[in-house]
Each structure stands twice: as C-alpha cells, then as structure tokens.
Amino acid sequence: MNVICSTLNAKYIHTNLAIRYLKAYAAPEYNIQMKEYTIKDPVMNIVSDLYQAKPTVIGFSCYIWNIEETLKVVNMIKKIDPSILIVLGGPEVTYDTAEWMEKQPDIDFIVIGEGEQTFKQLLTEIQTTNNYDHVPGIAYRHNGEVMITPQMNKLDLKELPSPYRFPEDIGNLGKRVAYIETSRGCPFSCQFCLSSIEVGVRYFDRETIKEDIRYLMANGAKTIKFVDRTFNISRSYAMEMFRFLIDEHQPGTVFQFEITADIMRPEVIEFLNQEAPKGLFRFEIGVQSTNDYTNELVMRKQNFTKLTRTVTMVKEGQKIDQHLDLIAGLPEEDYSSFRKTFNDVFEMRPEELQLGFLKMLRGTGVRLRASEHQYVYMDHSPYEILSNNVLSFDDIVRIKQVEDVLEKYWNDHRMDWTVEYLVTNVFTSPFDFFQEFGSYWEEQGWSRIGHQLEDLFRRLHFFLEQKSVKNLDVIVGLMKYDYLKNHRYKPRKPWWEASFDKSARLQLYKQIIENPTHLGQEYIELHLDEKELFKHTMLEELSFDLAKYLTTGEIEKKSACLLAYFEPSNDRTLIFPFKELK
C-alpha cells in the first residue's frame, strides 16, 4: 500500500510537523512518503506530482490557510482516479466534521484531533478488513451515511517517536524553519483560540527533546521555533530549556517561543539578560487587547501591568527581539477602544507589532456565541470578521489601513528614527499617525501598486508635505539618516535631490581631508585617503545638530552636515554628523 502524507504550507520556508509525526508513528509497518507544497503552487502541478507517485492513500494536513487550495487538489485527484482514498486531518476539519463530510463527497475519511495512533489504525483497516467502526476518532461513510466514532484518550507524548530523523529532511534544515513541540495543550481558555478547547497541558520527554534539538543543529538548522502555546507555563521547565539552549546552541541558530508575558518572573528575565547571547532568542507575545471587559468576555486572564514589566525588562536587556500581537474585532472592543489598545502596546516599542483581525475559528467559543455580539464574518476560511455590534465594516477597513503602513514603516525597521519622531512630536498618538498615513496611502491608490524602497520615503515625504507639518526639514533630515544607515552600499539614486552640487561637495571633501578631527576619533581611525572618500562616502546637508538629537533627543537648529561611509570590507555603514565647515 502506497501512502502519502501531504500539506500545502503558507510559505516554502515553513515545514509541517504533523505529517512528520504521522510518518514516524506509522513506521515500520508503513513507509509513508511526505510531500509538501505551498498554497502558491499551481493546483495542476500539485495534482500531477501526487498522481505520478501512484498512491493508494493520500492524507492532507488542513488549516485555515490551506483548506481552500487543499480541496481543489482533492477534487481534481478524485476526478482523475476515484480509487485513491483521501484522508483529511488537522484543526480545520476536526470541528464541524459531519458538515465537511456532507459538503465534500470527495473526502473518504477525516481524522479528528490527535492523529498519530488513529491514522495508523485507519491504515491498518484500509489494508485489511475495512472495519472502520473500531478506529477511534474518525469520520467515514457507510452505505451513504456519515459515521463518526468516539475519540480515544490522549496519547502519552513521552512514547511518541521523534519526527526529526528522516534523511530526506536533512538537505533542507538550513533553508527552512524547524518546528519543535515540547508540550500539547494550553492552561488558558481564550475563547478565540483552538487551544482553549483541549483541557490540560501534556509534556514530551525533556531529554528526547534535547537530543532532537542537538540533531537539528548538528544538521544545519538555523531557525528553530517552539510551537508550544505557552512555553513558560512551567518556570522550572522554561529555565531548564533556556539554560540548555544557551549552553549548547550553535553559532547562527535562533530560537523562537510563544510566551505568556504576565506570568514571567523577573528573575527569569534577569537570567536571560545576563546569560543569553544577543539574538539567540525571539519572543512572540499575544497581548490581543488591553480592554479588561473584552478580555473578561473571551475568558482571557491578563495582567497588563506585569506584561508591560516583562516586555520592558526584556527590551532593556537588548538581547531578545519581541513580536507582540494584537487582535482587532474582539467582543465589545470598538474603534476607540482598539485605538487605546494599540497605543498602550506601541508605547512599549516592540521590535514587531503584529496587527491581526479576529478569525471565527471552527469550534471556538466566539464562533459558537457569535450571535451574542452580532458578528458577521466570512463563510470561507480564514473566517475573518466583517463587523459586529460595536465595530462596523468601515472601522475594519480603517484599521486595515493602519495594518498596511504599520508593516511597511515600523515592522520592517526602515526608518525607526523618523517614525519615533513623528509619533512623539508630530501626531497626537502612534495610532493616529498610522491611521492618517494609512488612509492617505489608500486614497492615493498606493495599496494597489508596488513600491521600491525609495518610494516608501517619497510617499511619506509627500504625505507630510500635504499635511504641512512643522519642522519638515528636521523630519527630512531624519529620513535621510534612516535611509543611509540602512544601506550597505552607496545608493546610486537616493529619493531626494543632492544637497550639494559638485563644486560645493569637492570643497567640503577638501576641508574634511585637511581637518579630519571635525568628524571625531572614529572617523580619524578609518584613515581614509582621498580616493576612498570620493568613492565610498556621501555628503548631505542638515538643518539641525543630528549628533545632539541622537544622544539627547533635543532639536538644535543649526547648519550641519553628515557624511555616510559605506565600508566595503565590513559591509557596514558609518554615519558621521558634523557642524558645517567654514
């Protein structure tokens, strides 16, 4: 019997852990072939590849991001060869299972919930007696009727075989994200999350996990992401794993975790700030909302004061990047409340602020009680909300405009100094900047066309000109600084007109060569000759003392300059602000 386990990942760099657990558990009785694609791959290409493998059974791992494309693949396969048995599993089909079976006649089986043992038993029945009523936790058809069997007790995770030891994976470990699961379940009951449905937390064997991580690193894995819903629910466990990863990590490896920030003890953060190498860890923290009533409605316990303490301590340690999540559209969070939530969280200046929209996932409490808050949402995946009793579709559209420019102008860190100045000195609040700019971006039609890096600067400049903001000369100076310091090479055509003509530039270069002390000791130590100065630097005029602003935050208007040196040997850029030379 030829069995394939497949999935359509959101991106090529992702890997699917579920099909690897199925393959590991089914061995040695069944040698499952794994085939991964992406949702961007043409359906015909996927079907052709699967069909040429001549499978008896194909199992698909299904999620909100791939279910639509997966069903297209399934329908085409069944048209080509109806004898191929199709098995679906995963969170998207674990709920409303009967509905899936009734609406999608091409599905032969659905594996409900935890699938390792169930899928193996199903394969055994397919190969032998076809007596499916003894297989726990599946949906199947019998005489035209959909049958659903009761689920079995949860597995002992300590007995599961490792899903990481397949030779066919070794070549891609350095190119893709490796996912590690050290526990299943979540202690919390957030009603918008599927993890709230499973009661309790179960752990895998710690030493086995460590061996798996050693194996992944030894074979080139660079990004290892822990998929535990709350990695730090057990302080002793988290500390043990942090210590292990600090002691045994390989150079260039990054570990990502989903943590619950308000339960993290200060001593844990102090330990990480002292012991962890910079860049080794990355934290993802779900804030979602700072509205206490909203959190109460979705059964989310959160102490925002303690969460802020954790995020602030981690940020001050300068060792760990933090990715904070917000969800627009939670119950009773109107536009004004969400604006406050956004500003509350942006105040902490996370390295990345992810603004998402509530998805009414099958099986979750918010979906089951959608009528209580008059939710209107998409009928198809990802079941994103369109409105509710306090948030109109107009509000949703406006917040999406915020999301668009937030991604481009904050999360990508193209102009940190500029944005910081704008949200602190020019606009009423961070949210108001992103909202006003996002709305303007949409009005100009920029969301429907592409952009180069230079376009992002030009468009912001154009927006600020139209608003007639004060101190535009200072903002432009900061934009130039952000633009140049983020380049690793001398830009051929910057987004602004050059400050100096050729004659004035030559005169400045001559003065710098004669008086290098004006640019400071770091510049002197570069020992740049005339040829290097002309070839690898740029000069720009400023209207304020940039050096003073960068150190004190104070604007002192005066005629000044900056020299940007694009160091070819070290692939870095050094900026030297200096007073204009006479």
Side-chain angles (χ1 to χ4, degrees):
M1 184 167 67
N2 187 6
V3 181
I4 293 175
C5 278
S6 182
T7 197
L8 281 64
N9 295 318
K11 298 179 180 178
Y12 169 76
I13 62 167
H14 298 165
T15 52
N16 184 275
L17 191 53
I19 63 173
R20 286 165 172 77
Y21 270 114
L22 296 177
K23 176 179 173 66
Y25 196 91
E29 291 83 356
Y30 303 99
N31 182 23
I32 291 176
Q33 186 178 359
M34 297 185 297
K35 285 187 171 289
E36 290 179 279
Y37 310 96
T38 77
I39 55 177
K40 299 295 186 182
D41 292 337
V43 172
M44 177 61 82
N45 292 4
I46 298 173
V47 171
S48 299
D49 189 56
L50 289 169
Y51 175 76
Q52 290 178 75
K54 301 302 177 186
T56 311
V57 178
I58 308 178
F60 291 95
S61 188
C62 302
Y63 308 84
I64 57 169
W65 63 79
N66 72 7
I67 186 63
E68 304 294 330
E69 295 303 306
T70 298
L71 290 175
K72 292 177 186 176
V73 172
V74 167
N75 294 341
M76 196 180 293
I77 287 172
K78 278 294 193 179
K79 284 185 177 181
I80 296 166
D81 187 349
S83 70
I84 296 174
L85 294 177
I86 300 296
V87 184
L88 301 191
E92 177 58 14
V93 294
T94 283
Y95 306 96
D96 300 335
T97 307
E99 180 184 334
W100 282 114
M101 294 292 287
E102 290 161 3
K103 289 185 176 180
Q104 300 291 334
D106 292 328
I107 302 171
D108 295 299
F109 303 93
I110 289 179
V111 171
I112 303 167
E114 204 164 43
E116 289 88 352
Q117 186 172 329
T118 295
F119 186 64
K120 185 173 185 178
Q121 287 183 241
L122 175 60
L123 293 179
T124 299
E125 288 302 326
I126 290 172
Q127 192 172 36
T128 56
T129 65
N130 304 132
N131 188 3
Y132 303 119
D133 61 339
H134 294 309
V135 181
I138 65 165
Y140 65 100
R141 304 178 198 281
H142 180 69
N143 295 330
E145 184 179 354
V146 173
M147 312 295 290
I148 299 178
T149 62
Q151 289 181 255
M152 58 183 286
N153 292 331
K154 298 295 183 183
L155 296 171
D156 182 349
L157 301 183
K158 292 180 173 60
E159 296 180 359
L160 288 185
S162 171
Y164 305 105
R165 306 305 175 104
F166 304 123
E168 59 265 43
D169 278 338
I170 291 176
N172 288 319
L173 285 177
K175 306 171 189 174
R176 306 172 81 174
V177 178
Y179 294 93
I180 284 279
E181 187 179 31
T182 72
S183 66
R184 289 182 184 175
C186 181
F188 302 110
S189 303
C190 305
Q191 294 298 287
F192 51 82
C193 179
L194 282 174
S195 298
S196 66
I197 299 170
E198 181 177 342
V199 178
V201 180
R202 293 168 294 144
Y203 285 92
F204 287 79
D205 180 73
R206 297 185 187 188
E207 295 308 313
T208 301
I209 291 294
K210 291 176 184 177
E211 283 302 316
D212 285 336
I213 294 172
R214 291 186 182 107
Y215 173 86
L216 290 171
M217 291 191 297
N219 286 282
K222 295 300 181 186
T223 302
I224 299 178
K225 183 171 181 177
F226 289 76
V227 298
D228 306 62
R229 303 309 300 171
T230 305
F231 180 80
N232 62 314
I233 189 62
S234 166
R235 177 180 171 277
S236 62
Y237 172 71
M239 285 291 286
E240 180 181 335
M241 290 303 296
F242 286 144
R243 179 79 268 173
F244 162 72
L245 297 173
I246 289 169
D247 290 343
E248 300 200 25
H249 73 277
Q250 297 292 323
T253 307
V254 177
F255 297 95
Q256 301 180 17
F257 311 88
E258 292 186 31
I259 70 159
T260 301
D262 58 345
I263 66 170
M264 199 164 209
R265 300 283 291 275
E267 57 265 32
V268 176
I269 306 168
E270 289 169 2
F271 163 77
L272 293 172
N273 286 345
Q274 292 171 10
E275 300 287 335
K278 183 177 175 57
L280 180 63
F281 297 145
R282 175 182 168 89
F283 286 169
E284 297 181 17
I285 299 169
V287 183
Q288 322 310 9
S289 174
T290 62
N291 184 317
D292 290 337
Y293 182 49
T294 291
N295 284 327
E296 182 182 328
L297 287 171
V298 295
M299 300 173 63
R300 180 175 178 78
K301 296 179 180 178
Q302 180 169 271
N303 185 319
F304 187 64
T305 301
K306 289 184 177 180
L307 183 150
T308 302
R309 179 190 67 190
T310 293
V311 173
T312 302
M313 286 183 67
V314 171
K315 190 170 184 65
E316 288 172 349
Q318 299 184 333
K319 297 288 191 70
I320 300 169
D321 281 353
Q322 297 177 99
H323 168 128
L324 272 56
D325 288 331
L326 300 179
I327 298 179
L330 291 171
E332 304 304 320
E333 175 117 278
D334 62 12
Y335 181 84
S336 175
S337 171
F338 184 76
R339 175 182 180 274
K340 180 181 183 302
T341 283
F342 183 99
N343 286 329
D344 288 343
V345 177
F346 195 87
E347 185 67 26
M348 295 182 279
R349 302 298 192 265
E351 283 73 24
E352 188 171 348
L353 180 57
Q354 188 73 40
L355 198 172
F357 294 81
L358 179 64
K359 295 171 177 58
M360 308 294 277
L361 303 178
R362 295 175 182 271
T364 58
V366 289
R367 179 162 175 147
L368 296 173
R369 293 184 290 278
S371 61
E372 294 179 14
H373 301 282
Q374 301 172 30
Y375 274 108
V376 178
Y377 57 94
M378 299 174 180
D379 292 330
H380 54 81
S381 65
Y383 315 114
E384 192 169 288
I385 74 154
L386 304 173
S387 65
N388 63 21
N389 61 321
V390 299
L391 202 67
S392 68
F393 185 65
D394 284 332
D395 294 331
I396 294 284
V397 169
R398 292 171 70 197
I399 297 172
K400 281 188 175 291
Q401 294 166 355
V402 172
E403 178 197 24
D404 189 22
V405 292
L406 176 71
E407 197 65 34
K408 293 179 175 70
Y409 286 86
W410 180 256
N411 290 341
D412 284 346
H413 295 286
R414 292 180 169 112
M415 47 184 95
D416 287 348
W417 286 94
T418 304
V419 173
E420 181 62 41
Y421 181 87
L422 291 171
V423 302
T424 305
N425 299 287
V426 179
F427 289 83
T428 308
S429 76
F431 184 86
D432 295 309
F433 162 65
F434 290 110
Q435 182 66 87
E436 289 187 42
F437 186 28
S439 297
Y440 187 80
W441 184 282
E442 180 68 27
E443 289 166 8
Q444 298 301 308
W446 293 335
S447 60
R448 294 181 289 279
I449 59 177
H451 59 266
Q452 302 290 333
L453 176 64
E454 288 74 15
D455 294 325
L456 295 177
F457 285 84
R458 288 192 191 98
R459 291 172 185 176
L460 177 60
H461 186 216
F462 191 65
F463 164 66
L464 296 172
E465 278 186 324
Q466 297 302 305
K467 279 191 65 68
S468 301
V469 300
K470 294 180 180 179
N471 291 325
L472 183 58
D473 57 326
V474 172
I475 300 168
V476 169
L478 291 172
M479 290 172 70
K480 290 179 180 179
Y481 173 65
D482 277 326
Y483 180 84
L484 293 172
K485 75 182 180 65
N486 285 314
H487 266 71
R488 291 293 170 264
Y489 54 89
K490 186 176 179 178
R492 293 184 178 180
K493 191 170 176 58
W495 57 271
W496 67 89
E497 295 296 324
S499 300
F500 303 106
D501 60 22
K502 184 176 181 181
S503 174
R505 193 165 61 250
L506 289 174
Q507 183 64 27
L508 263 176
Y509 276 139
K510 181 181 178 182
Q511 294 175 7
I512 290 170
I513 292 168
E514 293 173 353
N515 301 285
T517 55
H518 283 289
L519 275 69
Q521 186 61 32
E522 187 179 13
Y523 174 79
I524 293 172
E525 291 173 359
L526 291 173
H527 302 293
L528 296 182
D529 59 29
E530 186 174 339
K531 181 180 179 181
E532 290 172 313
L533 196 62
F534 277 76
K535 185 176 182 180
H536 297 301
T537 70
M538 279 183 64
L539 281 169
E540 281 301 321
E541 189 174 24
L542 299 173
S543 65
F544 65 103
D545 187 337
L546 176 61
K548 184 174 184 178
Y549 178 75
L550 295 179
T551 54
T552 69
E554 296 178 25
I555 296 292
E556 181 183 347
K557 291 290 191 77
K558 58 164 53 177
S559 184
C561 299
L562 70 77
L563 180 137
Y565 171 52
F566 305 92
E567 189 171 26
S569 58
N570 291 328
D571 192 31
R572 64 173 180 164
T573 299
L574 301 175
I575 305 290
F576 300 97
F578 61 96
K579 298 174 184 178
E580 187 167 350
L581 304 173
K582 302 299 183 183

